[in-house]
Amino acid sequence: MPLFQLISRARKRMSVRTLIAAAFGISILMSPAAWSVETAALSIEASTSVNTPSKLQRLSNRASELAMEAMGLLGIEYKYGGNTPETGLDCSGFVHYIFAEAWGKILPRTSRELSQEGEHVDKKHLQAGDLVFFNTLKRKFSHVGIYLGDNKFIHAPSSGNVVRIESMDVSYWKKRFNGGRRISAVDQ
C-alpha cells in the first residue's frame, strides 16, 4: 500500500506524533512544553500547551501540514500531466494536489502559472511550504517543487522517476534555480 494511503487511513486514528513516527520511522523527543521531530529534510515543532497558538505557530503548523502531505507522496511515480497519486503526478500536478489536500486551496495547474501566484521570496528567506522554481527545459519556471527547509525540496522530477527529496545545493539545481514564491494559506 502506498505511503499516502497509509497516512490517510492513519490520520483518522492516530495522534500526529504517532503518525509521524510510524510513517517515517523516526524518533520523537518529548519535553513538557513541546515535542520535536528531526529528519534530514524536515524539522517540525509543535506546541502542546493549551494556550492559543501565536500567529507564528499557526504559520509554522500550516507549513508543516504541507510538508507532511508532500512527504506522504514520496515514491509516487512521475507521469506527465498527472493529477493524482493513483495515476502518477508531474511537478505542477504534485504541487496542485498537495495544496488542495493540505489546505483546500486550488492553485493553477502549470509551473508557469504557479510562478505568478503568491509573493516573491528571496532564496535566503525561503521557508518550509514555499514553492521553488527551476529552469529545466531551457525556459524559466519550467519545474516546481515544495521547499522543506535546510535547502531541501520535494518534487516530482521527470519520466522514469518518483517523488523525492533533493538538495538545492546540488549543482544541477543550484544553477537552474529561478526563484521562490510564498502562497498564503487563506485568500487575501
Side-chain angles (χ1 to χ4, degrees):
M1 177 179 296
L3 184 58
F4 77 93
Q5 288 177 339
L6 287 173
I7 288 175
S8 179
R9 286 182 182 174
R11 245 188 227 145
K12 297 171 185 163
R13 297 186 304 262
M14 295 184 202
S15 72
V16 173
R17 287 186 289 246
T18 306
L19 174 60
I20 293 169
F24 300 106
I26 49 183
S27 61
I28 298 174
L29 307 172
M30 298 295 293
S31 72
W35 60 272
S36 64
V37 176
E38 295 291 331
T39 68
L42 179 65
S43 175
I44 301 171
E45 290 189 1
S47 172
T48 58
S49 70
V50 293
N51 298 335
T52 304
S54 70
K55 184 175 180 179
L56 181 59
Q57 286 171 320
R58 285 192 308 273
L59 290 173
S60 177
N61 290 343
R62 297 294 284 178
S64 295
E65 289 170 12
L66 285 174
M68 290 304 301
E69 192 74 41
M71 290 179 73
L73 296 182
L74 285 169
I76 296 296
E77 290 187 30
Y78 176 93
K79 181 180 181 188
Y80 181 77
N83 290 307
T84 68
E86 294 82 9
T87 59
L89 296 162
D90 66 10
C91 67
S92 57
F94 172 73
V95 168
H96 186 269
Y97 181 85
I98 294 303
F99 276 80
E101 289 296 308
W103 290 0
K105 187 168 184 87
I106 305 303
L107 293 178
R109 183 53 187 81
T110 69
S111 58
R112 186 72 167 139
E113 292 170 324
L114 285 166
S115 73
Q116 304 301 308
E117 291 291 309
E119 62 183 76
H120 170 78
V121 179
D122 287 328
K123 190 174 185 178
K124 63 185 174 189
H125 294 116
L126 286 170
Q127 297 175 6
D130 289 343
L131 300 183
V132 287
F133 295 90
F134 303 89
N135 176 344
T136 59
L137 300 174
K138 298 184 180 173
R139 67 178 189 273
K140 288 185 173 188
F141 308 108
S142 55
H143 188 70
V144 63
I146 300 173
Y147 188 73
L148 296 174
D150 196 29
N151 248 12
K152 304 247 184 324
F153 73 106
I154 186 168
H155 66 129
S158 60
S159 293
N161 288 297
V162 297
V163 172
R164 64 184 183 214
I165 296 170
E166 297 202 59
S167 173
M168 291 173 57
D169 293 328
V170 172
S171 65
Y172 178 87
W173 298 113
K174 192 179 246 183
K175 65 184 176 185
R176 287 173 173 78
F177 181 74
N178 285 142
R181 305 292 290 185
R182 183 160 301 142
I183 309 297
S184 69
V186 293
D187 293 322
Q188 297 180 359

